[in-house]
Amino acid sequence: MARLLKLMQNEWMKLWHKKGTWIMVGILVVLTVGMMGLMKWISLQNMGGEMTREGMIQDPSSLGGTVLLLTVIVAAGIVASEFSQGTIKMLLTRPVKRWKILVSKFLTVNLFGIFLMLIGYVVYILLAMLLFKSGAGESLSDWSVWSKSLYMLLLSFGNVFITSTFAFAIGSVFRSSSLAIGLSLFIYFTGSTISALLSQYEVAKYLFFTHMDLTQFETGMMLVPDLTMPFSLAVLAVYIVVFLLISFSAFIKRDVTA
């Protein structure tokens, strides 16, 4: 465990020594500000009534898309970059089991995703309080507001986790960050459309992009009818295991001189 934590610390430090990582944090903040500004403008144009502060806080799931895109970039390149930069030989010849190296990279990717989600959430909440007014009969002291907010945040992170795991697998197997990013974003942007087109067929229930957006169980905007949360979680769990098995199998067996 101590060795694994040390590997994670090294990966975390390597990640934050890159200017691109700090740029991604800046992009997250800017896009969150822009998104909230747009929501305020739309609210003002809505003659039927302005969005409330509590209503905005209860659904921060819009953060998921931005965090997903940024996390996928890191997930796709955290292994592939070792090959492109020529550091893979030094990495794999260390007296450390290969699976521990890959676990440390996978955990670092997800830790980064969680960190981005929290940063975006803090900015989102501050802007919601600044830009929007409380609704009649609503109060931020009501625990139901915050419990719903955190629940939606957790559900939206599910999409980040499964997509970044897919990108991690592709990057690990094919050693190409561009391929991993491209395929991951293709699935992210077209997956829901494919699921909707195939919704009348049984196969749609077993496609992983049908279940990626767990917020559908709260919003009611189901891609395929008769889905349940436990079933979606079970399908996603199977896919995650498959993705990771492929990743570890390829990484452990790979020739160090490759």
Side-chain angles (χ1 to χ4, degrees), residues 2-255:
R3 176 59 65 89
L4 182 59
L5 291 176
K6 182 64 176 178
L7 289 171
M8 283 184 61
Q9 181 182 21
N10 291 339
E11 291 295 334
W12 188 252
M13 292 174 61
K14 284 162 57 177
L15 184 61
W16 287 100
H17 280 155
K18 299 177 181 178
K19 292 182 180 179
T21 303
W22 295 96
I23 292 174
M24 282 191 278
V25 174
I27 290 174
L28 173 63
V29 173
V30 170
L31 290 181
T32 302
V33 171
M35 175 184 66
M36 293 297 284
L38 178 61
M39 294 299 293
K40 176 64 176 180
W41 181 81
I42 292 174
S43 178
L44 293 175
Q45 303 305 309
N46 182 11
M47 303 304 294
E50 185 176 349
M51 298 175 187
T52 67
R53 177 184 298 166
E54 291 77 13
M56 293 297 298
I57 289 176
Q58 287 184 76
D59 188 10
S61 59
S62 54
L63 288 170
T66 304
V67 173
L68 182 149
L69 297 176
L70 299 176
T71 307
V72 159
I73 293 174
V74 173
I78 198 166
V79 174
S81 62
E82 299 283 2
F83 287 91
S84 62
Q85 296 172 6
T87 56
I88 188 64
K89 293 181 181 180
M90 180 178 66
L91 179 67
L92 295 186
T93 51
R94 291 177 179 177
V96 180
K97 293 185 181 297
R98 293 191 182 188
W99 69 265
K100 288 187 177 181
I101 294 174
L102 202 59
V103 166
S104 70
K105 288 181 176 294
F106 180 69
L107 293 178
T108 299
V109 166
N110 287 287
L111 184 61
F112 180 70
I114 293 172
F115 178 78
L116 289 184
M117 208 71 174
L118 293 177
I119 291 294
Y121 185 64
V122 169
V123 175
Y124 180 93
I125 295 299
L126 291 176
L127 290 172
M129 292 182 174
L130 179 65
L131 298 176
F132 297 89
K133 299 178 181 179
S134 291
E138 297 180 311
S139 173
L140 291 180
S141 61
D142 189 346
W143 169 242
S144 63
V145 173
W146 295 103
S147 60
K148 178 65 177 299
S149 178
L150 293 173
Y151 182 58
M152 291 298 288
L153 190 72
L154 177 62
L155 292 182
S156 62
F157 184 74
N159 204 347
V160 177
F161 180 72
I162 184 66
T163 309
S164 62
T165 299
F166 175 76
F168 181 83
I170 298 298
S172 300
V173 173
F174 295 100
R175 296 172 285 179
S176 172
S177 58
S178 57
L179 176 63
I181 293 172
L183 287 177
S184 300
L185 297 188
F186 175 78
I187 288 175
Y188 173 65
F189 286 113
T190 65
S192 59
T193 301
I194 296 173
S195 294
L197 291 174
L198 297 176
S199 60
Q200 59 183 316
Y201 301 104
E202 186 71 14
V203 67
K205 293 183 178 181
Y206 302 98
L207 301 174
F208 83 91
F209 35 80
T210 297
H211 309 275
M212 286 165 55
D213 184 10
L214 295 175
T215 63
Q216 63 183 306
F217 296 104
E218 287 296 311
T219 63
M221 300 175 65
M222 309 294 290
L223 293 174
V224 175
D226 302 325
L227 287 181
T228 64
M229 177 76 81
F231 180 75
S232 288
L233 291 176
V235 172
L236 289 176
V238 171
Y239 274 104
I240 289 170
V241 170
V242 171
F243 293 156
L244 291 178
L245 284 176
I246 293 173
S247 302
F248 279 81
S249 178
F251 191 77
I252 292 173
K253 295 179 180 179
R254 179 161 290 143
D255 188 346

